[in-house]
Amino acid sequence: MIFTLLIISLSRAGELEELIKHALEDSPILKTYKHMKRSSEYREVYSKSLPNPSISLGFNNIPINRPYPSKYEPMSSFSIGISQMYILPVKRERESFTARMEGEVFKLQEELARRELIRDIKLKYLEWLYAKKKEDLLRNILSEIRSIEKLTEENYKLGRASLSDLLSLKAEALRVEREIKNLMEERRLIKTEIDSLVGKNIELRGEEPKIEEIDLKEIDEDKSPYLRVIWAEMERLKAEVERRKVEYLPDLELMAEYMIRPRLDNMFSLKASVSLPLRRSRRENLMVLEKLEDLKAKEQELGKVRLQVKRDINSLRIEEERIRELQSLTEELRREKERELKALQISYSFGKADFRDILRLYRELWELRMNLIELELSKKSLYIRAEVYR
């Protein structure tokens, strides 16, 4: 029900949500977990039932020279029988419970895979979008260079600018054009990766997505989906241990047989047999110890994953603080460079400044604008990566 509402809400949302919707519908890995969950559900049901009965037909006490029942061999007979293996309810219930725990593992693994798929699509979409933003910024920079170039050409004709000033601008324009081409190629490569994640080719318009700013201090490491998967696997192993503990209990087989004898009264037989041993042997003890060792190994894995999750979340917190500081410093520096550039342009108009200093300031200002876009991308990507751990 919740998943259905999620799909409906996504269908009414923007371009990124549309990509996520298609990916969730067509993802092979999510479909794999869906089938695995269904398989464990079937196993949970049939594990509670008894095996199918067996039927047998046979000839008994048949002489070699007369291979069929006859009046000359009174002990010969034709028999028909039926048998049923009876597995104790405790075995069947624990086997069914193990299957249920396995289904819980698949359910949590599916949820984790879904989160990771959404994260990967969001990250790639942001990369594509901000590559486009960088490209737009470079086109604006190129437009500014062209404007400065025209002004410099006029000043050159009037003797107020040198040929080297003009050539520097042309070289700068070529450099920006080359960067624009590189970004266009980068966007094409990112688009290919997005198509691979989504499972189909969707033309992108480049809509600005709404990225929630997560309070990283409120993330509880113990509620991480990575840890929930490990806990579910541990519960499944505990269920397997309990199943192995009753493996020694005997299985009962009930048999009934009816014999048809020529010239003699027909007969029937009833039999019951139990499996051995009737107490836990070395084999059954080793079976339990095997699963206990698996459980201990999974406990060690839990500790390792917990440390990894904690380290990842702490790294995100440190990175967030670093990005905030860099954004503040870069924005302040950008404003300072803009004021400095205006003052230098005024001085240049009176012939009191070198054109190379103006071009240097322009380059620094353009680089700061590009850095601000990259920092904005890093900040939004950080929150997307953090979404998986909630």
Side-chain angles (χ1 to χ4, degrees), residues 136-151:
D136 293 340
L137 175 60
L138 287 175
R139 292 187 188 280
N140 291 334
I141 291 172
L142 185 61
S143 178
E144 289 182 14
I145 293 174
R146 297 301 186 198
S147 299
I148 299 171
E149 187 179 351
K150 287 181 181 179
L151 182 60

Side-chain angles (χ1 to χ4, degrees), residues 23-138:
L24 294 178
E25 289 175 347
D26 300 330
S27 170
I29 188 169
L30 294 182
K31 289 181 179 179
T32 298
Y33 283 121
K34 179 180 179 181
H35 292 304
M36 293 170 74
K37 284 194 305 179
R38 192 173 299 164
S39 172
S40 64
E41 290 171 1
Y42 294 152
R43 181 184 162 203
E44 180 185 353
V45 174
Y46 77 69
S47 295
K48 295 180 180 181
S49 60
L50 292 171
N52 292 330
S54 301
I55 191 169
S56 61
L57 300 172
F59 295 101
N60 303 319
N61 303 319
I62 303 298
I64 295 176
N65 61 346
R66 192 179 289 109
Y68 53 85
S70 68
K71 62 182 179 180
Y72 302 106
E73 294 294 338
M75 295 303 295
S76 64
S77 63
F78 171 76
S79 64
I80 180 171
I82 187 170
S83 62
Q84 173 67 60
M85 180 66 72
Y86 182 78
I87 300 174
L88 294 179
V90 65
K91 285 187 174 182
R92 288 180 276 135
E93 288 294 333
R94 293 191 181 186
E95 186 70 30
S96 177
F97 184 71
T98 300
R100 187 190 310 169
M101 291 298 100
E102 187 175 51
E104 287 297 316
V105 173
F106 293 147
K107 178 181 177 181
L108 291 173
Q109 287 176 337
E110 180 190 22
E111 171 63 20
L112 178 57
R114 188 185 68 84
R115 287 172 177 244
E116 290 180 335
L117 178 60
I118 293 174
R119 175 201 62 193
D120 293 343
I121 292 173
K122 285 184 175 181
L123 288 175
K124 285 300 173 184
Y125 184 80
L126 274 186
E127 283 185 38
W128 182 89
L129 181 64
Y130 275 79
K132 186 175 183 297
K133 286 188 176 185
K134 291 177 186 177
E135 185 182 328
D136 293 340
L137 175 60
L138 287 175

Side-chain angles (χ1 to χ4, degrees), residues 39 73 84 171 245 258 273 290 299 345 357 371-372 378:
S39 172
E73 294 294 338
Q84 173 67 60
K245 285 181 178 180
Y258 188 80
S273 62
E290 175 195 8
E299 289 173 350
Q345 284 173 331
D357 292 333
N371 289 342
L372 284 171
S378 298

Side-chain angles (χ1 to χ4, degrees), residues 307-359:
L307 289 175
Q308 182 64 48
V309 168
K310 188 174 182 179
R311 183 162 55 246
D312 290 346
I313 294 175
N314 286 335
S315 297
L316 290 173
R317 291 167 181 164
I318 294 171
E319 187 178 350
E320 180 190 33
E321 184 178 350
R322 181 186 65 84
I323 290 173
R324 288 184 185 277
E325 291 177 358
L326 283 174
Q327 279 183 314
S328 177
L329 291 173
T330 305
E331 185 62 37
E332 182 180 348
L333 187 58
R334 183 186 65 82
R335 290 193 295 267
E336 182 181 325
K337 291 295 180 182
E338 286 177 346
R339 291 193 295 267
E340 186 178 346
L341 179 60
K342 288 179 181 179
L344 200 60
Q345 284 173 331
I346 294 173
S347 298
Y348 179 74
S349 65
F350 290 100
K352 296 181 179 180
D354 192 333
F355 180 79
R356 287 173 294 182
D357 292 333
I358 293 179
L359 184 57

